Amino acid sequence: MRTSRAAGGALLLSCAGLLLTGCGLEPSTAYVPAADPGSIEPVEGAEDTEVRVTSKNFTEQLILGKIAVLAMQAAGFETEDITNVPGSQPVRELMLSGDADLTFEYTGTAWLTYMGNETGIPDQQEQWEAVREADLENGLTWGQPAALNNTYALAVRSEYAEANDLETISDIASLPVAERTFCVESEFNSRSDGLTPLLAHYGLDRGSEVPEDNIGIYDTGAIYSATDDGECNFGEVFSTDGRIPALDLTVLEDDRQFFPAYNAAPVYNTELLEEFPRVEEIMEPISAALTDDVMQELNRQVDVEGRDPADVAYEWMLSEGFIVEP
């Protein structure tokens, strides 16, 4: 039985639960609809063990966190829902301290933010293998990654992409200079792995082949609508954002692998897997079903339709047969 509660984790939990309002957020709720096991079969001995599931506090993480909560409940564990934690570092500390047992994390975030590497690994499998190996000594085990890769991307109006045969970022070079227009955030415009090196990686010189007048600086949220309205042809987006399908935008394939990989994967307290190795087997098919398109749609339901992340997670788990209605 793993019942340790480190002091550092307890302090973080005070910010992750009832005291979230003091951290500038709405109070977290442990709500998920009731469900019975579907393809997830109960684990022997699970009823005597608590599994603590955590997540960050943005839409995609809330959905993934609720998916993990539902999976552990279906497996028969006593599940503590400590999702909606403000920020990556607090979630990381909960996992490292042993005060949380399961989360969905991104390979690029772990590699660059937690492990301090200066550059990411574009190859998704290689990036996952690197973080998995590095985190084993921290008492954390990375499960198989999902196909969903929440990384930077370039999006274009679907009708414009179709009219100009645009499928990859390399295809931008086939357009006249005047058509190579971009909407980007100020950070992406100046960062070392941002717009300028991206253009260079794809053989486009910023200044001559992409004039400065072709580049507009926008707030993050405004990029999506500006791209949809035709203020620019190519917008800097996050590849699983729900506004992509809502606005009928097309994400161009990063065919020369410029952007680092940010695949989501379940991360476990290694002690949990040692005691209950079937937990990894339960989560693997869930990860396999989570693609960019799936995550875009789930995010869209929350961000565009205003639905509760727990309800969205529940309905998706039902539709995939992982759980059934009680």
Side-chain angles (χ1 to χ4, degrees), residues 95 160 203 235 264 297:
M95 293 297 296
Y160 184 84
E297 172 56 22

Side-chain angles (χ1 to χ4, degrees), residues 67-248:
I67 285 172
V69 168
L70 287 162
M72 292 301 97
Q73 289 183 350
F77 290 99
E78 180 184 344
T79 306
E80 183 178 357
D81 183 347
I82 49 175
T83 56
N84 199 23
V85 173
S88 294
Q89 288 293 350
V91 168
R92 177 68 169 180
E93 289 303 319
L94 284 170
M95 293 297 296
L96 290 175
S97 68
D99 282 283
D101 302 298
L102 172 59
T103 191
F104 271 94
E105 187 53 271
Y106 303 97
T107 53
T109 301
W111 186 248
L112 296 169
T113 302
Y114 305 149
M115 300 171 187
N117 295 286
E118 293 186 0
T119 58
I121 302 173
D123 183 272
Q124 296 181 24
Q125 182 67 20
E126 290 180 12
Q127 181 67 93
W128 174 78
E129 290 173 355
V131 296
R132 177 180 170 87
E133 181 178 354
D135 245 356
L136 285 173
E137 64 183 35
N138 294 319
L140 302 178
T141 299
W142 285 68
Q144 289 295 319
L148 81 88
N149 180 23
N150 189 359
T151 189
Y152 283 115
L154 290 183
V156 58
R157 299 184 311 285
S158 292
E159 60 271 24
Y160 184 84
E162 184 176 353
N164 292 277
D165 296 320
L166 300 174
E167 296 181 355
T168 69
I169 297 179
S170 291
D171 292 336
I172 295 174
S174 67
L175 296 173
V177 171
E179 296 290 298
R180 300 171 189 164
T181 54
F182 296 82
C183 297
V184 298
E185 299 171 282
S186 58
E187 179 184 352
F188 187 75
N189 183 52
S190 59
R191 60 187 289 157
S192 60
D193 60 348
L195 180 61
T196 301
L198 168 66
L199 295 174
H201 188 79
Y202 278 91
L204 294 171
D205 176 69
R206 179 170 180 167
S208 59
E209 294 172 299
V210 179
E212 291 298 323
D213 288 346
N214 285 22
I215 301 169
I217 309 301
Y218 291 76
D219 292 335
T220 304
I223 290 175
Y224 294 83
S225 56
T227 305
D228 181 53
D229 292 341
E231 294 178 29
C232 60
N233 288 325
F234 305 101
E236 166 226 338
V237 300
F238 289 101
S239 57
T240 59
D241 196 291
R243 287 166 290 190
I244 293 171
L247 296 172
D248 190 26

